[in-house]
């Protein structure tokens, strides 16, 4: 039996992508309703992530029309059936993680939420949830597909497996970044790198995810955290997040500088957070013998990057891809770190846009005009 707080309106506003030549357009569509194991939240905020740009620009094929937006915070307004043991309650503040595990497949049974088969096969390829259907529709009944939960809307249906309670002491709008930018950073450091106390780190590309990797690597006890980017404005706040040095790779030789800073060794772990060949090269160039390179950034379409085979083999270097995190374990941990002030989520959010301005926000992101993370604030 479902539980509902107040009357949920029959329609809502959402930023819909119908045509990549026209971009996002705000429409009034049907309000979704949760099914088994799902939750309806009234969205407070939704983060704008670089990976969305690949869908908006057509570099990643995704069914249209669609509603994007995959890191949200909001208030639970309805619980679908099957939530008796989820611990979620109507009226509760929650954060939604972009990687929504089905909880039932072989990978989920092994605790590998980041490898959930139905998430990739149904949501990422077909824009649906795990019964093979989307929860979104236009007023005339036309299906509208969901990129994760379709958070660029006034309401969103999220599987309970992808939600974590947020304490009332936290600011709900900036906390939207916890579900992707912070969780992906946590997953890269904790799961991808398995970072050990005292190891040295470089972070290549310090946007929203990179900024969080800087501060989480520092929290995990890295002895050096070197932030690398091509933009001095993005690098300027990095020391406040725990960076011990910053390098502008457009004006400095990143490899030479990292070797100088590390006594000629290079770093134990380099993180690549953009997904382009140049940043892959930089991340590999600064790596020590025996080091681990952890790529997090998604490329546009079928993007490739060069790897120097002999150096990788002879120097026993490893490349360890990291996609998100283990949502059910890691999202609550990230919320706890933010609630206790161990990581700074508020200042990472540098710009706020209204739902009508979501397209402008993505254009700013495309042109590297966003420091940290931008969010759509549903109260604007």
């Amino acid at each position: 039996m479902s539980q509902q707080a107040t009357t949920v309106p029959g329609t809502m506003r959402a930023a819909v992508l119908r045509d990549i030549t026209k971009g996002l357009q705000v429409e009034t569509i049907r309000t979704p309703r949760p099914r088994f194991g799902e939750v309806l939240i009234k969205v407070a905020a939704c983060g704008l992530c670089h990976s969305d740009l690949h869908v908006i620009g057509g570099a990643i094929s995704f069914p249209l029309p669609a509603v994007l937006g995959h890191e949200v915070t909001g208030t639970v307004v309805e619980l679908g059936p099957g939530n008796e043991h989820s611990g979620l309650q109507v009226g509760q503040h929650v954060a939604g993680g972009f990687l929504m595990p089905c909880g039932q497949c072989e990978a989920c049974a092994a605790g590998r939420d980041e490898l959930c088969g139905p998430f990739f096969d149904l949501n990422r390829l077909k824009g649906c949830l795990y019964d093979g259907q989307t929860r979104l529709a236009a007023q005339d009944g036309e299906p509208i597909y969901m990129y994760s939960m379709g958070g660029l809307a006034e309401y969103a249906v999220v599987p309970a497996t992808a939600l974590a309670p947020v304490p009332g002491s936290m600011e709900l709008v900036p906390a939207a970044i916890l579900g992707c930018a912070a969780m992906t950073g946590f997953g890269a450091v904790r799961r991808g790198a398995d970072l050990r106390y005292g190891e040295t780190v470089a972070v290549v590309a310090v946007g929203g995810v990179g900024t969080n990797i800087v501060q989480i690597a520092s929290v995990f006890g890295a002895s050096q955290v070197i932030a690398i980017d091509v933009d001095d404005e993005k690098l300027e706040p990095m020391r406040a997040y725990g960076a011990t040095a910053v390098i502008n790779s457009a004006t400095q030789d990143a490899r030479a500088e990292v070797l100088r800073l590390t006594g000629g060794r290079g770093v134990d772990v380099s993180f690549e957070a953009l997904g382009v060949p140049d940043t892959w090269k930089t991340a590999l160039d600064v790596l020590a013998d025996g080091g681990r390179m952890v790529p997090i950034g998604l490329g546009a379409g079928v993007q490739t990057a060069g790897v120097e085979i002999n150096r990788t083999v002879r120097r026993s270097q490893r490349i360890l891809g990291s996609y998100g995190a283990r949502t059910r374990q890691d999202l609550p941990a990230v919320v706890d770190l933010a609630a206790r002030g161990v990581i700074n989520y508020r200042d990472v959010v540098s710009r706020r846009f209204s739902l009508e301005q979501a397209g402008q926000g993505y254009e700013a992101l495309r042109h590297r005009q966003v420091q940290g993370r931008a969010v759509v604030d549903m109260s604007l």
Side-chain angles (χ1 to χ4, degrees):
M1 181 180 296
S2 64
Q3 299 178 39
Q4 186 176 325
T6 56
T7 302
V8 175
T11 61
M12 66 173 185
R13 293 180 304 134
V16 181
L17 179 68
R18 291 184 174 276
D19 184 335
I20 62 173
T21 65
K22 296 180 180 178
L24 301 179
Q25 304 288 327
V26 174
E27 299 180 14
T28 298
I29 67 173
R30 294 181 183 179
T31 303
R33 304 308 286 265
R35 297 180 187 173
F36 189 89
E38 299 169 357
V39 176
L40 180 67
I41 67 169
K42 182 175 175 58
V43 176
C46 179
L48 304 184
C49 180
H50 196 273
S51 62
D52 292 329
L53 290 175
H54 300 319
V55 177
I56 293 171
I60 289 180
S61 179
F62 193 78
L64 300 179
V67 175
L68 306 181
H70 59 260
E71 54 177 20
V72 300
T73 45
T75 304
V76 174
V77 293
E78 185 177 358
L79 298 174
N83 273 295
E84 291 82 5
H85 306 294
S86 68
L88 299 171
Q89 301 174 5
V90 169
Q92 194 172 41
H93 288 173
V94 289
F98 83 96
L99 206 163
M100 308 184 305
C102 74
Q104 298 179 14
C105 69
E106 184 177 354
C108 285
R112 296 298 302 271
D113 292 3
E114 78 277 22
L115 299 178
C116 174
F119 173 74
F120 290 100
D121 295 342
L122 292 172
N123 185 266
R124 276 297 176 267
L125 291 180
K126 299 180 180 179
C128 297
L129 290 183
Y130 305 138
D131 58 357
Q133 296 181 343
T134 179
R135 301 294 176 266
L136 299 178
Q139 292 192 67
D140 64 2
E142 173 195 24
I144 297 175
Y145 299 97
M146 308 165 64
Y147 194 76
S148 287
M149 71 286 291
L152 287 172
E154 291 180 306
Y155 291 87
V157 165
V158 190
T161 54
L163 290 170
V166 171
S169 59
M170 291 183 66
E171 294 180 36
L172 209 50
V173 170
I177 71 161
L178 300 179
C180 177
M183 188 175 78
T184 298
F186 182 93
V189 174
R190 170 66 183 85
R191 307 291 179 185
D194 190 17
L195 187 70
R196 306 302 172 89
Y197 184 88
E199 289 189 309
T200 56
V201 164
V203 183
V204 183
V206 288
V209 173
T211 298
N212 279 285
I213 294 173
V214 167
Q215 60 175 336
I216 292 167
S218 178
V219 166
F220 272 58
S223 59
Q224 288 179 276
V225 181
I226 303 166
I228 303 172
D229 204 287
V230 296
D231 188 333
D232 284 332
E233 286 190 14
K234 291 182 183 292
L235 289 167
E236 191 276 328
M238 287 304 109
R239 292 182 189 274
Y241 291 111
T244 56
V246 299
I247 297 171
N248 185 323
S249 57
T251 59
Q252 298 171 280
D253 182 327
R255 175 175 167 80
E257 279 297 300
V258 169
L259 291 176
R260 182 183 67 81
L261 291 164
T262 57
R265 288 190 64 251
V267 293
D268 298 308
V269 183
S270 64
F271 296 94
E272 189 283 331
L274 188 57
V276 299
D278 285 348
T279 48
W280 260 70
K281 182 179 186 303
T282 300
L284 289 168
D285 282 348
V286 301
L287 201 57
D289 292 354
R292 290 127 41 219
M293 194 278 258
V294 181
I296 303 104
L298 288 176
V302 185
Q303 182 81 66
T304 60
V307 176
E308 188 179 329
I309 295 171
N310 287 359
R311 184 175 72 185
T312 304
V313 173
R314 287 173 173 162
R315 306 330 307 162
S316 298
Q317 295 174 331
R318 286 172 283 169
I319 299 172
L320 303 162
S322 177
Y323 186 67
R326 299 180 186 178
T327 307
R328 289 171 292 176
Q329 298 175 53
D330 295 343
L331 183 56
V334 168
V335 171
D336 181 62
L337 288 171
R340 292 192 287 117
V342 178
I343 61 172
N344 179 351
Y345 67 98
R346 295 180 183 89
D347 293 341
V348 174
V349 176
S350 63
R351 300 184 69 175
R352 303 186 185 199
F353 296 90
S354 67
L355 184 62
E356 286 75 13
Q357 295 170 326
Q360 297 174 37
Y362 281 114
E363 279 303 298
L365 187 61
R366 185 189 305 279
H367 292 102
R368 297 182 61 85
Q369 295 169 351
V370 175
Q371 186 182 85
R373 199 65 137 189
V375 301
V376 165
D377 181 343
M378 298 302 295
S379 70
L380 297 179

